Each structure stands twice: as structure tokens, then as C-alpha cells.
Amino acid sequence: MSDFEEARAQQLGSLDEEELISSGSRSSFQRFGFRLTGGLKSIAGFLGHGPIPLVLKLLCLMLLAGILMAVLVKVSKVSHFHEQKKSKQENIYQEVAQVKAEMGRLCRPCPWDWTFFQGNCYFFSKSQRNWTDSVTACQEEGAQLVIIKSAEEQSFLQLTSKNKGDTWMGLSDLNNEGTWYWVDGSYLFFRFMKYWNEGEPNNDGEEDCVEFRGDGWNDSRCELEKFWICKKSADSCSNK
């Protein structure tokens, strides 16, 4: 046999083996209900008639149940958070109401912008008026242009007025020149005469109203505008 014929015979042998293997494979697949021409469709059909779809369904159900559970947990947490927030707000409102109630029961003998001293309340003005308008301003507050009753009160008012500037008190001789009366109609006691500044009162230019000036008292013209001090009795805590 020539070399050509020998090669040809080997090639034909190989083809026979491939056909045999192929034929065997086809026979095997056909026994299990497959057709080579069916391809993936046949495989899908095989899976569709087996137990795998049921497993997949169970897995899907378990996955959906897990997702639903996670959503419910999240909703529950959000709801719990809102309830806590609402509860905190209610607690804050209750605390504020309680504080307001407690403040209402606190004893404050004087209004907020007044100063307490020895049982009385004092208002130190931030603006200036003439003596007559100062008297009216105090009356509108249920008070009087200040009347001095003691040495301690005098020291307290003199020091405060010295820091502010010239300040009216409730003393004048408008009704009778040289006779000094407080706004409540009472006379100026002799023991208070020592508080006049040196050389005062001198009635220089119809000076009929009295002011705090420097370290003592001074008579001045009533139409001039100065600071003023109002005085009224402090409230009693026992009445609250």
C-alpha cells in the first residue's frame, strides 16, 4: 500500500470513530427524552417537569417573606421613632408649662424694671422730663416721685443718681417760697436739711424744685428736663 492509500485509510477510520461516538451520544440523549435539534428548549422542558421549579418557588417565597419582614421592621422602627419624638415634645411642653406655673408662684415684690430696697420699689428713668411731667409719670405707674424717709434711703438714691446725672426727687416749694413740701403734702423734716449742697437752696432764678446733684441736693428750675425716680411700696409675698 502506498503512502497515500495508508493516509486515506487512517482518515476514514477516524471518521468512523466520530460517527460512532456521535451516534452513541444521540442514542443516550434520546433515551432521556432529548433531541439534539431541540437544544436548550429540550433542557428547559426537562427542568420544567422536575423538582427544581418547586425549589425555586420556595426560595422566592422565602425571599419575599424576608423582604416583607425587613419592610415591617423598618416601618415599626420609624413608627417607634415618631412616637418617641411626639412623647419628647409632650414632655417639653409639660415642663415649660410647669416652669411658667412655678414662676407665677415666685414672690417678686417689684416689677421687672424696678429696683427693690428696704421694702420699697424704685424706678430709675432712662429718659428726662421736667419736674411736673416726672410727677405725672410716677402717678401713672401707681407711684410717687421719690420721697426720702431715712438716711439709708438717701445714701442709696444719692449714689445711684450721681452715677446717672441730675435727677428729680419729689420735693418743692411751689406752694410757698422757702417752705419745702414733699409731693404727698408732708413737710421736709429738719434732720434732712444736712443733705443740701453747700450754699443751697439759693432760689437762684426761681428755683422751686429739688434734684439730686453730685453728693447732695440742689434747688433748680422746675421746667428743666432731668432724670427722675419713682417710688412705691413692694408687694407682700404672703398675699401670693
Side-chain angles (χ1 to χ4, degrees), residues 104-165:
R105 289 193 291 268
L106 290 176
C107 176
R108 183 170 180 82
C110 301
W112 287 102
D113 51 351
W114 291 58
T115 301
F116 177 80
F117 181 78
Q118 292 188 345
N120 294 297
C121 300
Y122 299 86
F123 175 77
F124 298 91
S125 74
K126 297 179 177 61
S127 60
Q128 298 183 344
R129 297 187 180 188
N130 62 43
W131 190 86
T132 302
D133 289 344
S134 298
V135 171
T136 301
C138 291
Q139 290 174 344
E140 290 174 349
E141 296 294 330
Q144 291 179 322
L145 195 59
V146 66
I147 299 171
I148 299 172
K149 299 291 187 179
S150 68
E152 293 80 11
E153 185 179 26
Q154 159 60 24
S155 297
F156 164 66
L157 296 175
Q158 191 75 54
L159 178 61
T160 305
S161 300
K162 185 177 182 180
N163 294 331
K164 285 183 67 69

Side-chain angles (χ1 to χ4, degrees), residues 16-88:
D16 291 339
E17 291 177 359
E18 290 177 359
E19 289 178 357
L20 180 60
I21 294 172
S22 176
S23 175
S25 299
R26 283 197 297 270
S27 299
S28 298
F29 280 117
Q30 286 174 355
R31 285 199 300 271
F32 287 95
F34 286 94
R35 290 177 302 173
L36 290 175
T37 57
L40 295 176
K41 291 183 179 180
S42 297
I43 295 174
F46 171 75
L47 294 175
H49 291 84
I52 295 179
L54 179 60
V55 174
L56 290 176
K57 289 180 181 179
L58 291 175
L59 290 175
C60 289
L61 288 174
M62 292 176 63
L63 179 61
L64 289 174
I67 294 173
L68 180 60
M69 182 63 69
V71 171
L72 291 175
V73 171
K74 185 66 175 180
V75 171
S76 177
K77 288 182 178 179
V78 171
S79 177
H80 182 64
F81 171 76
H82 285 297
E83 289 178 357
Q84 285 184 329
K85 185 176 180 181
K86 183 178 179 181
S87 178
K88 288 181 179 180

Side-chain angles (χ1 to χ4, degrees), residues 28 95 132 157 160 175 190-191 194 220 225-226 231 234:
S28 298
E95 290 176 1
T132 302
L157 296 175
T160 305
N175 294 331
F190 179 79
R191 69 174 183 270
K194 61 183 179 181
S220 181
E225 293 188 347
K226 305 177 187 293
K231 174 184 175 182

